[in-house]
Amino acid sequence: MAKKFLVNDSPYTFKPLFEYYEVDEKILRSVLDDKKSELEWGIIESWEKGSIDGESAAKFTALMQSISLDAARYLAKHIDLRKELNVNSLLDVAGGSGCYSIAFSEVQEVKTIELDMGPVCQLAESFNSKSMALKSSVLTYTSDMFREPFPASDDPKYGYQAVFFSNIIHDWDETTHRMLLKKSFDALPSKGCIMIRVALL
């Protein structure tokens, strides 16, 4: 486990997590003392305001990639979107690096649409260019999930049968979560589905 998550050249390294917070000692002390960490995810405010600069986007996206890649590949191997959910394409809302989109496209050859703000979509395209997924199967769609509508599910280019949220439905209050879920419901076709992967806090 240490070789997988704590070695710098591992694709699953947690190094970006420590670099982002620059508080290795504080995290270590929290673990040793078995106390809840006092670290704050300050970048959430930038997302709420609909603006994030390129440097902040790069650091936070690398952080989320490091703690999500293992789960993304596991999920793609164990949930067959086509057979179990009748899904050929999904909209990955605020998907960051696009690791879930890429994993599903690599393993199952489904089409995925990564929806996020401009600077993050540029980073997702960079991650995808290094992946094994077909370039035509992982698309990006620049949008503010709070203020702008999702692409139409019957759009010839961006159509989808599922909306996917990972590490989203726990960051805000219930009103915001309901808004995002209603927006998903309104955009989806009949018999579409909403997939939620969430940290149980």
Side-chain angles (χ1 to χ4, degrees):
M1 189 172 290
K3 286 182 178 179
K4 185 173 186 177
F5 296 110
L6 299 178
V7 175
N8 288 347
D9 60 0
S10 167
Y12 304 100
T13 180
F14 274 16
K15 182 181 179 183
L17 173 70
F18 296 105
E19 289 181 335
Y20 181 82
Y21 287 115
E22 299 177 350
V23 282
D24 304 44
E25 181 64 29
K26 191 172 181 180
I27 291 177
L28 179 60
R29 182 53 52 194
S30 294
V31 173
L32 292 175
D33 294 344
D34 195 24
K35 293 180 180 178
K36 181 180 177 182
S37 172
E38 297 175 358
L39 299 174
E40 295 293 335
W41 296 73
I43 201 166
I44 296 299
E45 285 188 15
S46 299
W47 250 273
E48 288 178 348
K49 294 175 182 175
S51 63
I52 184 171
D53 63 86
E55 183 180 357
S56 296
K59 287 182 178 179
F60 192 72
T61 300
L63 182 163
M64 294 306 298
Q65 164 84 357
S66 74
I67 64 175
S68 301
L69 183 59
D70 193 39
R73 290 179 172 170
Y74 181 90
L75 201 63
K77 288 179 181 177
H78 290 84
I79 296 182
D80 191 319
L81 295 180
R82 294 178 188 271
K83 289 183 179 179
E84 295 180 38
L85 301 173
N86 197 30
V87 168
N88 300 311
S89 177
L90 66 83
L91 179 70
D92 185 2
V93 178
S97 68
C99 62
Y100 285 94
S101 292
I102 291 168
F104 277 120
S105 295
E106 283 181 337
V107 175
Q108 303 185 27
E109 297 182 354
V110 296
K111 185 177 81 173
T112 56
I113 302 96
E114 146 83 359
L115 181 151
D116 219 314
M117 290 186 286
V120 182
C121 282
Q122 292 176 10
L123 293 164
E125 289 170 0
S126 174
F127 278 107
N128 186 39
S129 69
K130 301 169 187 173
S131 76
M132 301 284 289
L134 293 173
K135 301 304 175 274
S136 59
S137 66
V138 183
L139 307 176
T140 56
Y141 186 89
T142 300
S143 181
D144 180 339
M145 68 177 180
F146 296 111
R147 298 168 182 82
E148 298 174 332
F150 294 164
S153 61
D154 59 356
D155 184 297
K157 182 177 181 181
Y158 296 108
Y160 50 90
Q161 299 89 38
V163 175
F164 178 72
F165 292 98
S166 175
N167 286 326
I168 301 296
I169 310 298
H170 68 249
D171 277 332
W172 291 277
D173 58 25
E174 183 178 345
T175 300
T176 302
H177 294 153
R178 286 180 176 273
M179 178 274 291
L180 291 171
L181 294 172
K182 185 177 189 306
K183 186 182 288 190
S184 304
F185 181 84
D186 291 342
L188 282 164
S190 175
K191 297 184 179 179
C193 67
I194 297 173
M195 301 170 61
I196 299 172
R197 178 198 171 273
V198 67
L200 301 176
L201 303 179

